[in-house]
Amino acid sequence: MRVVKRVQDGESPEVLAKALDLDRSTVYGWLARYRQAGWNGLKAKPFGRAPTETRRQKDAVGLRYGDAQEPVAIEIRVRAVDARDGG
């Protein structure tokens, strides 16, 4: 955000990129995001992508994608742990 503010104050994006050891495309990318979405466009975004479900997981949660398949039985095993003996 400081770089965008400095460009607004009249500094050159090229000079700022070199002085801050940034790639010029990074600075111009920030300026484009600012022009498109304002200060909110410069807020940090989470890394990576959303997790995807496997076919088996989709089937197990109730055929939410309209696939006419047999339901999947899920077996859950629970093991009792005695905290006194360390698990």
Side-chain angles (χ1 to χ4, degrees), residues 75-81:
E75 180 181 339
I76 299 174
R77 297 181 185 182
V78 179
R79 181 174 67 94
V81 176

Side-chain angles (χ1 to χ4, degrees), residues 2-81:
R2 292 179 188 166
V3 172
V4 172
K5 179 71 174 130
R6 288 174 67 173
V7 171
Q8 286 179 329
D9 291 341
E11 292 187 57
S12 163
E14 302 277 338
V15 172
L16 280 171
K18 188 171 279 195
L20 298 172
D21 196 29
L22 296 169
D23 192 276
R24 60 188 283 276
S25 65
T26 300
V27 174
Y28 282 108
W30 291 339
L31 292 170
R33 284 175 36 199
Y34 173 74
R35 281 192 298 273
Q36 184 178 22
W39 293 113
N40 286 334
L42 297 173
K43 289 184 179 177
K45 296 179 178 142
F47 289 103
R49 62 179 187 183
T52 58
E53 294 178 325
T54 64
R55 170 61 68 186
R56 186 174 187 164
Q57 289 168 328
K58 290 175 188 175
D59 292 342
V61 294
L63 305 172
R64 61 174 108 160
Y65 293 94
D67 297 338
Q69 297 180 7
E70 293 296 317
V72 175
I74 299 175
E75 180 181 339
I76 299 174
R77 297 181 185 182
V78 179
R79 181 174 67 94
V81 176

